[in-house]
Amino acid sequence: MRNTLGDLNDHLFAQMERLGDEDLKGDELKNECERSKAMTSVSRNIIDNASLALKAEEMRFEGILKGHIPMLSNSAKEIPKG
């Protein structure tokens, strides 16, 4: 599987290392700061989405949520009513 939360973690730490480069100055530093802001924004959305999916799976495991959740798989089944 590609693009896992582990991959995201690696990308974020790599970005931190780039920001920590003391040789970065002027426009290069400004560009890295802008890149970091964009990465942070996208990362937050990815993490929020993963948290929601995890919560739905926990609810299904606990029996609170019954049936299939289309968003969490590749099939197009609907959630049974009742």
Side-chain angles (χ1 to χ4, degrees), residues 4-79:
T4 65
L5 292 176
D7 294 333
L8 174 61
N9 195 48
D10 292 342
H11 287 293
L12 293 174
F13 276 110
Q15 184 61 30
M16 281 182 50
E17 289 177 19
R18 285 191 293 273
L19 286 172
D21 182 354
E22 295 190 17
D23 293 332
L24 225 56
K25 307 247 188 283
D27 285 341
E28 287 180 326
L29 179 57
K30 182 180 175 184
N31 290 341
E32 283 304 323
C33 287
E34 289 300 316
R35 184 190 319 262
S36 291
K37 288 177 188 176
M39 288 179 73
T40 300
S41 177
V42 171
S43 297
R44 173 56 34 212
N45 289 331
I46 292 169
I47 293 166
D48 288 347
N49 187 51
S51 294
L52 179 61
L54 177 60
K55 184 172 183 170
E57 285 298 315
E58 288 172 343
M59 291 174 69
R60 184 169 33 189
F61 179 77
E62 293 170 0
I64 297 168
L65 184 64
K66 302 217 187 276
H68 175 78
I69 304 168
M71 172 189 141
L72 299 180
S73 71
N74 291 331
S75 74
K77 296 178 187 174
E78 292 185 20
I79 297 174

